[in-house]
Amino acid sequence: MAKVSSMMLCLALALTVLVTVEAIDQACVASYNNKVDAMASAIGGSTKSALQGLGGCHTRKFVYYAQGVSYIEAKASCIAKGGRLALPRNSHENKLIQDVAKQGGHTAHRGIWLGFNRLGNSGTTTFLDDNGFALHYAPWLPHEPNNAHGNEPCGEMLIGGHGGWNDMPCRWKGGLPYVCRF
């Protein structure tokens, strides 16, 4: 029995694929540099290096986990590792998360969990992020969210195409892979 358990553990570990991508949102960097340039020209070019040291864009690390789990398990796993279930804030991050999943070997016919869920499980279309705030960016697929069968309070990103979003049950047969943001 112990031999079978250790074989199953080894198999489970082998199925967990990690792909780490550290990326800076290039649109954010360009916007920040334009603001620094504008401020520097307004107050004198010699202060540009000091302005650049004030902050700007942050590196975000995304890690793909190939093992299929429920939404709750994916969310808990990311939190236990010191991160959050990934939730794109814009089209650039949506594409970046999509690319991380593809680099991890994710196939286009399955989705990955994203870090948002429906307020309650009613027919409302109000979805909230992990902090309880309404989504500001949500590239839903056509006719989504639809809360099919009154039981689709969680969300996934489909990896094929443009990375469109779909609402779905939080416990999906076989689970879904996921991406954590650190």
PDB file of all heavy atoms in Angstrom, residues 114-144:
ATOM      1  N   LEU A 114      -9.481  31.777 -13.189  1.00  0.00           N
ATOM      2  CA  LEU A 114      -9.072  33.161 -12.946  1.00  0.00           C
ATOM      3  C   LEU A 114      -9.577  33.585 -11.571  1.00  0.00           C
ATOM      4  O   LEU A 114     -10.546  33.028 -11.055  1.00  0.00           O
ATOM      5  CB  LEU A 114      -9.633  34.098 -14.016  1.00  0.00           C
ATOM      6  CG  LEU A 114      -9.046  33.952 -15.412  1.00  0.00           C
ATOM      7  CD1 LEU A 114      -9.722  34.927 -16.367  1.00  0.00           C
ATOM      8  CD2 LEU A 114      -7.539  34.170 -15.406  1.00  0.00           C
ATOM      9  N   GLY A 115      -8.950  34.585 -10.993  1.00  0.00           N
ATOM     10  CA  GLY A 115      -9.241  35.007  -9.624  1.00  0.00           C
ATOM     11  C   GLY A 115     -10.438  35.924  -9.469  1.00  0.00           C
ATOM     12  O   GLY A 115     -10.298  37.056  -9.009  1.00  0.00           O
ATOM     13  N   PHE A 116     -11.609  35.454  -9.851  1.00  0.00           N
ATOM     14  CA  PHE A 116     -12.845  36.202  -9.604  1.00  0.00           C
ATOM     15  C   PHE A 116     -14.004  35.238  -9.486  1.00  0.00           C
ATOM     16  O   PHE A 116     -13.925  34.097  -9.932  1.00  0.00           O
ATOM     17  CB  PHE A 116     -13.108  37.233 -10.711  1.00  0.00           C
ATOM     18  CG  PHE A 116     -13.456  36.647 -12.055  1.00  0.00           C
ATOM     19  CD1 PHE A 116     -14.769  36.372 -12.397  1.00  0.00           C
ATOM     20  CD2 PHE A 116     -12.463  36.393 -12.994  1.00  0.00           C
ATOM     21  CE1 PHE A 116     -15.091  35.832 -13.638  1.00  0.00           C
ATOM     22  CE2 PHE A 116     -12.774  35.864 -14.233  1.00  0.00           C
ATOM     23  CZ  PHE A 116     -14.096  35.587 -14.558  1.00  0.00           C
ATOM     24  N   ASN A 117     -15.083  35.690  -8.854  1.00  0.00           N
ATOM     25  CA  ASN A 117     -16.291  34.882  -8.776  1.00  0.00           C
ATOM     26  C   ASN A 117     -17.515  35.782  -8.646  1.00  0.00           C
ATOM     27  O   ASN A 117     -17.393  36.972  -8.362  1.00  0.00           O
ATOM     28  CB  ASN A 117     -16.218  33.842  -7.656  1.00  0.00           C
ATOM     29  CG  ASN A 117     -15.976  34.451  -6.308  1.00  0.00           C
ATOM     30  OD1 ASN A 117     -16.781  35.239  -5.834  1.00  0.00           O
ATOM     31  ND2 ASN A 117     -14.854  34.107  -5.697  1.00  0.00           N
ATOM     32  N   ARG A 118     -18.664  35.178  -8.865  1.00  0.00           N
ATOM     33  CA  ARG A 118     -19.935  35.898  -8.865  1.00  0.00           C
ATOM     34  C   ARG A 118     -20.359  36.229  -7.439  1.00  0.00           C
ATOM     35  O   ARG A 118     -20.166  35.431  -6.528  1.00  0.00           O
ATOM     36  CB  ARG A 118     -21.008  35.033  -9.519  1.00  0.00           C
ATOM     37  CG  ARG A 118     -22.339  35.720  -9.722  1.00  0.00           C
ATOM     38  CD  ARG A 118     -23.399  34.747 -10.266  1.00  0.00           C
ATOM     39  NE  ARG A 118     -22.980  33.978 -11.417  1.00  0.00           N
ATOM     40  CZ  ARG A 118     -23.062  34.400 -12.680  1.00  0.00           C
ATOM     41  NH1 ARG A 118     -23.544  35.587 -12.952  1.00  0.00           N
ATOM     42  NH2 ARG A 118     -22.660  33.634 -13.671  1.00  0.00           N
ATOM     43  N   LEU A 119     -20.939  37.390  -7.277  1.00  0.00           N
ATOM     44  CA  LEU A 119     -21.511  37.792  -5.999  1.00  0.00           C
ATOM     45  C   LEU A 119     -22.706  36.894  -5.723  1.00  0.00           C
ATOM     46  O   LEU A 119     -23.716  36.996  -6.400  1.00  0.00           O
ATOM     47  CB  LEU A 119     -21.939  39.265  -6.061  1.00  0.00           C
ATOM     48  CG  LEU A 119     -22.602  39.853  -4.827  1.00  0.00           C
ATOM     49  CD1 LEU A 119     -21.634  39.826  -3.648  1.00  0.00           C
ATOM     50  CD2 LEU A 119     -23.029  41.282  -5.105  1.00  0.00           C
ATOM     51  N   GLY A 120     -22.550  35.969  -4.777  1.00  0.00           N
ATOM     52  CA  GLY A 120     -23.606  34.993  -4.540  1.00  0.00           C
ATOM     53  C   GLY A 120     -23.660  34.015  -5.697  1.00  0.00           C
ATOM     54  O   GLY A 120     -22.760  33.952  -6.511  1.00  0.00           O
ATOM     55  N   ASN A 121     -24.706  33.260  -5.811  1.00  0.00           N
ATOM     56  CA  ASN A 121     -24.855  32.338  -6.930  1.00  0.00           C
ATOM     57  C   ASN A 121     -26.187  32.601  -7.626  1.00  0.00           C
ATOM     58  O   ASN A 121     -26.850  31.719  -8.098  1.00  0.00           O
ATOM     59  CB  ASN A 121     -24.771  30.887  -6.457  1.00  0.00           C
ATOM     60  CG  ASN A 121     -24.590  29.930  -7.621  1.00  0.00           C
ATOM     61  OD1 ASN A 121     -24.214  30.342  -8.707  1.00  0.00           O
ATOM     62  ND2 ASN A 121     -24.883  28.671  -7.405  1.00  0.00           N
ATOM     63  N   SER A 122     -26.574  33.866  -7.632  1.00  0.00           N
ATOM     64  CA  SER A 122     -27.842  34.228  -8.248  1.00  0.00           C
ATOM     65  C   SER A 122     -27.633  34.536  -9.728  1.00  0.00           C
ATOM     66  O   SER A 122     -26.565  34.324 -10.260  1.00  0.00           O
ATOM     67  CB  SER A 122     -28.405  35.462  -7.534  1.00  0.00           C
ATOM     68  OG  SER A 122     -27.523  36.551  -7.714  1.00  0.00           O
ATOM     69  N   GLY A 123     -28.642  35.058 -10.345  1.00  0.00           N
ATOM     70  CA  GLY A 123     -28.559  35.408 -11.748  1.00  0.00           C
ATOM     71  C   GLY A 123     -27.822  36.706 -12.010  1.00  0.00           C
ATOM     72  O   GLY A 123     -27.750  37.157 -13.140  1.00  0.00           O
ATOM     73  N   THR A 124     -27.240  37.319 -10.987  1.00  0.00           N
ATOM     74  CA  THR A 124     -26.533  38.575 -11.177  1.00  0.00           C
ATOM     75  C   THR A 124     -25.307  38.392 -12.053  1.00  0.00           C
ATOM     76  O   THR A 124     -24.722  37.306 -12.094  1.00  0.00           O
ATOM     77  CB  THR A 124     -26.117  39.194  -9.819  1.00  0.00           C
ATOM     78  OG1 THR A 124     -25.434  40.418 -10.070  1.00  0.00           O
ATOM     79  CG2 THR A 124     -25.192  38.273  -9.043  1.00  0.00           C
ATOM     80  N   THR A 125     -24.939  39.419 -12.761  1.00  0.00           N
ATOM     81  CA  THR A 125     -23.721  39.366 -13.564  1.00  0.00           C
ATOM     82  C   THR A 125     -22.589  40.111 -12.866  1.00  0.00           C
ATOM     83  O   THR A 125     -21.580  40.408 -13.478  1.00  0.00           O
ATOM     84  CB  THR A 125     -23.955  39.980 -14.966  1.00  0.00           C
ATOM     85  OG1 THR A 125     -24.435  41.316 -14.808  1.00  0.00           O
ATOM     86  CG2 THR A 125     -24.935  39.154 -15.760  1.00  0.00           C
ATOM     87  N   THR A 126     -22.751  40.404 -11.571  1.00  0.00           N
ATOM     88  CA  THR A 126     -21.703  41.089 -10.830  1.00  0.00           C
ATOM     89  C   THR A 126     -20.656  40.086 -10.364  1.00  0.00           C
ATOM     90  O   THR A 126     -20.947  39.200  -9.561  1.00  0.00           O
ATOM     91  CB  THR A 126     -22.285  41.828  -9.604  1.00  0.00           C
ATOM     92  OG1 THR A 126     -23.267  42.745 -10.060  1.00  0.00           O
ATOM     93  CG2 THR A 126     -21.200  42.569  -8.850  1.00  0.00           C
ATOM     94  N   PHE A 127     -19.464  40.229 -10.899  1.00  0.00           N
ATOM     95  CA  PHE A 127     -18.347  39.387 -10.495  1.00  0.00           C
ATOM     96  C   PHE A 127     -17.363  40.243  -9.722  1.00  0.00           C
ATOM     97  O   PHE A 127     -17.146  41.409 -10.053  1.00  0.00           O
ATOM     98  CB  PHE A 127     -17.659  38.763 -11.711  1.00  0.00           C
ATOM     99  CG  PHE A 127     -18.420  37.613 -12.284  1.00  0.00           C
ATOM    100  CD1 PHE A 127     -19.449  37.824 -13.178  1.00  0.00           C
ATOM    101  CD2 PHE A 127     -18.108  36.315 -11.909  1.00  0.00           C
ATOM    102  CE1 PHE A 127     -20.158  36.755 -13.709  1.00  0.00           C
ATOM    103  CE2 PHE A 127     -18.821  35.243 -12.434  1.00  0.00           C
ATOM    104  CZ  PHE A 127     -19.837  35.464 -13.327  1.00  0.00           C
ATOM    105  N   LEU A 128     -16.757  39.648  -8.685  1.00  0.00           N
ATOM    106  CA  LEU A 128     -15.832  40.363  -7.815  1.00  0.00           C
ATOM    107  C   LEU A 128     -14.458  39.718  -7.854  1.00  0.00           C
ATOM    108  O   LEU A 128     -14.331  38.500  -7.992  1.00  0.00           O
ATOM    109  CB  LEU A 128     -16.347  40.345  -6.371  1.00  0.00           C
ATOM    110  CG  LEU A 128     -17.761  40.870  -6.141  1.00  0.00           C
ATOM    111  CD1 LEU A 128     -18.160  40.701  -4.680  1.00  0.00           C
ATOM    112  CD2 LEU A 128     -17.888  42.320  -6.568  1.00  0.00           C
ATOM    113  N   ASP A 129     -13.417  40.553  -7.687  1.00  0.00           N
ATOM    114  CA  ASP A 129     -12.061  40.024  -7.596  1.00  0.00           C
ATOM    115  C   ASP A 129     -11.812  39.515  -6.175  1.00  0.00           C
ATOM    116  O   ASP A 129     -12.708  39.538  -5.326  1.00  0.00           O
ATOM    117  CB  ASP A 129     -11.035  41.075  -8.023  1.00  0.00           C
ATOM    118  CG  ASP A 129     -10.969  42.291  -7.099  1.00  0.00           C
ATOM    119  OD1 ASP A 129     -11.471  42.228  -5.952  1.00  0.00           O
ATOM    120  OD2 ASP A 129     -10.397  43.306  -7.520  1.00  0.00           O
ATOM    121  N   ASP A 130     -10.594  39.071  -5.889  1.00  0.00           N
ATOM    122  CA  ASP A 130     -10.258  38.521  -4.569  1.00  0.00           C
ATOM    123  C   ASP A 130     -10.405  39.528  -3.439  1.00  0.00           C
ATOM    124  O   ASP A 130     -10.510  39.161  -2.283  1.00  0.00           O
ATOM    125  CB  ASP A 130      -8.817  37.991  -4.559  1.00  0.00           C
ATOM    126  CG  ASP A 130      -8.689  36.664  -5.274  1.00  0.00           C
ATOM    127  OD1 ASP A 130      -9.704  35.974  -5.445  1.00  0.00           O
ATOM    128  OD2 ASP A 130      -7.555  36.318  -5.645  1.00  0.00           O
ATOM    129  N   ASN A 131     -10.375  40.808  -3.762  1.00  0.00           N
ATOM    130  CA  ASN A 131     -10.511  41.860  -2.755  1.00  0.00           C
ATOM    131  C   ASN A 131     -11.950  42.336  -2.580  1.00  0.00           C
ATOM    132  O   ASN A 131     -12.218  43.250  -1.820  1.00  0.00           O
ATOM    133  CB  ASN A 131      -9.609  43.051  -3.096  1.00  0.00           C
ATOM    134  CG  ASN A 131      -8.146  42.661  -3.094  1.00  0.00           C
ATOM    135  OD1 ASN A 131      -7.684  41.970  -2.191  1.00  0.00           O
ATOM    136  ND2 ASN A 131      -7.420  43.077  -4.112  1.00  0.00           N
ATOM    137  N   GLY A 132     -12.874  41.750  -3.338  1.00  0.00           N
ATOM    138  CA  GLY A 132     -14.278  42.119  -3.221  1.00  0.00           C
ATOM    139  C   GLY A 132     -14.704  43.283  -4.093  1.00  0.00           C
ATOM    140  O   GLY A 132     -15.781  43.838  -3.918  1.00  0.00           O
ATOM    141  N   PHE A 133     -13.850  43.664  -5.053  1.00  0.00           N
ATOM    142  CA  PHE A 133     -14.173  44.777  -5.948  1.00  0.00           C
ATOM    143  C   PHE A 133     -14.695  44.258  -7.280  1.00  0.00           C
ATOM    144  O   PHE A 133     -14.257  43.211  -7.770  1.00  0.00           O
ATOM    145  CB  PHE A 133     -12.939  45.653  -6.196  1.00  0.00           C
ATOM    146  CG  PHE A 133     -12.461  46.359  -4.967  1.00  0.00           C
ATOM    147  CD1 PHE A 133     -11.308  45.940  -4.310  1.00  0.00           C
ATOM    148  CD2 PHE A 133     -13.169  47.439  -4.445  1.00  0.00           C
ATOM    149  CE1 PHE A 133     -10.866  46.584  -3.167  1.00  0.00           C
ATOM    150  CE2 PHE A 133     -12.735  48.089  -3.299  1.00  0.00           C
ATOM    151  CZ  PHE A 133     -11.580  47.651  -2.656  1.00  0.00           C
ATOM    152  N   ALA A 134     -15.608  45.012  -7.879  1.00  0.00           N
ATOM    153  CA  ALA A 134     -16.157  44.648  -9.189  1.00  0.00           C
ATOM    154  C   ALA A 134     -15.042  44.678 -10.240  1.00  0.00           C
ATOM    155  O   ALA A 134     -14.095  45.453 -10.141  1.00  0.00           O
ATOM    156  CB  ALA A 134     -17.271  45.614  -9.576  1.00  0.00           C
ATOM    157  N   LEU A 135     -15.173  43.814 -11.232  1.00  0.00           N
ATOM    158  CA  LEU A 135     -14.179  43.755 -12.310  1.00  0.00           C
ATOM    159  C   LEU A 135     -14.269  45.006 -13.178  1.00  0.00           C
ATOM    160  O   LEU A 135     -15.362  45.457 -13.515  1.00  0.00           O
ATOM    161  CB  LEU A 135     -14.425  42.528 -13.178  1.00  0.00           C
ATOM    162  CG  LEU A 135     -14.396  41.176 -12.485  1.00  0.00           C
ATOM    163  CD1 LEU A 135     -14.693  40.067 -13.498  1.00  0.00           C
ATOM    164  CD2 LEU A 135     -13.068  40.936 -11.807  1.00  0.00           C
ATOM    165  N   HIS A 136     -13.114  45.537 -13.561  1.00  0.00           N
ATOM    166  CA  HIS A 136     -13.082  46.676 -14.481  1.00  0.00           C
ATOM    167  C   HIS A 136     -12.676  46.243 -15.882  1.00  0.00           C
ATOM    168  O   HIS A 136     -12.923  46.938 -16.847  1.00  0.00           O
ATOM    169  CB  HIS A 136     -12.121  47.753 -13.971  1.00  0.00           C
ATOM    170  CG  HIS A 136     -12.604  48.379 -12.707  1.00  0.00           C
ATOM    171  ND1 HIS A 136     -13.651  49.264 -12.668  1.00  0.00           N
ATOM    172  CD2 HIS A 136     -12.202  48.214 -11.425  1.00  0.00           C
ATOM    173  CE1 HIS A 136     -13.870  49.641 -11.421  1.00  0.00           C
ATOM    174  NE2 HIS A 136     -13.014  49.006 -10.645  1.00  0.00           N
ATOM    175  N   TYR A 137     -12.038  45.112 -15.967  1.00  0.00           N
ATOM    176  CA  TYR A 137     -11.631  44.538 -17.250  1.00  0.00           C
ATOM    177  C   TYR A 137     -12.204  43.130 -17.297  1.00  0.00           C
ATOM    178  O   TYR A 137     -11.988  42.337 -16.377  1.00  0.00           O
ATOM    179  CB  TYR A 137     -10.098  44.493 -17.357  1.00  0.00           C
ATOM    180  CG  TYR A 137      -9.604  43.736 -18.568  1.00  0.00           C
ATOM    181  CD1 TYR A 137      -9.630  44.329 -19.825  1.00  0.00           C
ATOM    182  CD2 TYR A 137      -9.138  42.438 -18.464  1.00  0.00           C
ATOM    183  CE1 TYR A 137      -9.199  43.631 -20.940  1.00  0.00           C
ATOM    184  CE2 TYR A 137      -8.707  41.723 -19.569  1.00  0.00           C
ATOM    185  CZ  TYR A 137      -8.736  42.340 -20.806  1.00  0.00           C
ATOM    186  OH  TYR A 137      -8.320  41.654 -21.923  1.00  0.00           O
ATOM    187  N   ALA A 138     -12.967  42.805 -18.322  1.00  0.00           N
ATOM    188  CA  ALA A 138     -13.578  41.482 -18.420  1.00  0.00           C
ATOM    189  C   ALA A 138     -13.900  41.165 -19.886  1.00  0.00           C
ATOM    190  O   ALA A 138     -14.980  41.492 -20.365  1.00  0.00           O
ATOM    191  CB  ALA A 138     -14.849  41.412 -17.573  1.00  0.00           C
ATOM    192  N   PRO A 139     -12.975  40.523 -20.589  1.00  0.00           N
ATOM    193  CA  PRO A 139     -13.219  40.182 -22.000  1.00  0.00           C
ATOM    194  C   PRO A 139     -14.045  38.900 -22.153  1.00  0.00           C
ATOM    195  O   PRO A 139     -13.535  37.851 -22.543  1.00  0.00           O
ATOM    196  CB  PRO A 139     -11.802  40.013 -22.554  1.00  0.00           C
ATOM    197  CG  PRO A 139     -11.021  39.491 -21.387  1.00  0.00           C
ATOM    198  CD  PRO A 139     -11.611  40.180 -20.179  1.00  0.00           C
ATOM    199  N   TRP A 140     -15.324  39.005 -21.809  1.00  0.00           N
ATOM    200  CA  TRP A 140     -16.221  37.850 -21.877  1.00  0.00           C
ATOM    201  C   TRP A 140     -16.356  37.340 -23.305  1.00  0.00           C
ATOM    202  O   TRP A 140     -16.354  38.122 -24.267  1.00  0.00           O
ATOM    203  CB  TRP A 140     -17.597  38.209 -21.348  1.00  0.00           C
ATOM    204  CG  TRP A 140     -17.624  38.526 -19.894  1.00  0.00           C
ATOM    205  CD1 TRP A 140     -17.765  39.764 -19.335  1.00  0.00           C
ATOM    206  CD2 TRP A 140     -17.505  37.617 -18.803  1.00  0.00           C
ATOM    207  NE1 TRP A 140     -17.746  39.671 -17.962  1.00  0.00           N
ATOM    208  CE2 TRP A 140     -17.586  38.355 -17.604  1.00  0.00           C
ATOM    209  CE3 TRP A 140     -17.339  36.236 -18.718  1.00  0.00           C
ATOM    210  CZ2 TRP A 140     -17.509  37.771 -16.360  1.00  0.00           C
ATOM    211  CZ3 TRP A 140     -17.270  35.653 -17.471  1.00  0.00           C
ATOM    212  CH2 TRP A 140     -17.347  36.416 -16.304  1.00  0.00           C
ATOM    213  N   LEU A 141     -16.513  36.042 -23.436  1.00  0.00           N
ATOM    214  CA  LEU A 141     -16.865  35.450 -24.720  1.00  0.00           C
ATOM    215  C   LEU A 141     -18.277  35.896 -25.074  1.00  0.00           C
ATOM    216  O   LEU A 141     -19.046  36.293 -24.189  1.00  0.00           O
ATOM    217  CB  LEU A 141     -16.817  33.921 -24.623  1.00  0.00           C
ATOM    218  CG  LEU A 141     -15.417  33.327 -24.456  1.00  0.00           C
ATOM    219  CD1 LEU A 141     -15.507  31.866 -24.025  1.00  0.00           C
ATOM    220  CD2 LEU A 141     -14.637  33.457 -25.751  1.00  0.00           C
ATOM    221  N   PRO A 142     -18.669  35.813 -26.354  1.00  0.00           N
ATOM    222  CA  PRO A 142     -20.048  36.174 -26.719  1.00  0.00           C
ATOM    223  C   PRO A 142     -21.065  35.362 -25.902  1.00  0.00           C
ATOM    224  O   PRO A 142     -20.861  34.174 -25.647  1.00  0.00           O
ATOM    225  CB  PRO A 142     -20.123  35.804 -28.202  1.00  0.00           C
ATOM    226  CG  PRO A 142     -18.708  35.870 -28.677  1.00  0.00           C
ATOM    227  CD  PRO A 142     -17.866  35.422 -27.510  1.00  0.00           C
ATOM    228  N   HIS A 143     -22.122  36.009 -25.475  1.00  0.00           N
ATOM    229  CA  HIS A 143     -23.218  35.416 -24.699  1.00  0.00           C
ATOM    230  C   HIS A 143     -22.791  34.977 -23.298  1.00  0.00           C
ATOM    231  O   HIS A 143     -23.447  34.152 -22.680  1.00  0.00           O
ATOM    232  CB  HIS A 143     -23.875  34.254 -25.451  1.00  0.00           C
ATOM    233  CG  HIS A 143     -24.206  34.589 -26.863  1.00  0.00           C
ATOM    234  ND1 HIS A 143     -25.178  35.510 -27.199  1.00  0.00           N
ATOM    235  CD2 HIS A 143     -23.663  34.162 -28.034  1.00  0.00           C
ATOM    236  CE1 HIS A 143     -25.225  35.619 -28.516  1.00  0.00           C
ATOM    237  NE2 HIS A 143     -24.325  34.813 -29.041  1.00  0.00           N
ATOM    238  N   GLU A 144     -21.690  35.502 -22.811  1.00  0.00           N
ATOM    239  CA  GLU A 144     -21.211  35.224 -21.449  1.00  0.00           C
ATOM    240  C   GLU A 144     -21.145  36.541 -20.691  1.00  0.00           C
ATOM    241  O   GLU A 144     -20.964  37.582 -21.307  1.00  0.00           O
ATOM    242  CB  GLU A 144     -19.825  34.571 -21.481  1.00  0.00           C
ATOM    243  CG  GLU A 144     -19.775  33.221 -22.172  1.00  0.00           C
ATOM    244  CD  GLU A 144     -20.554  32.136 -21.468  1.00  0.00           C
ATOM    245  OE1 GLU A 144     -20.924  32.311 -20.290  1.00  0.00           O
ATOM    246  OE2 GLU A 144     -20.811  31.103 -22.088  1.00  0.00           O
TER     247      GLU A 144
END
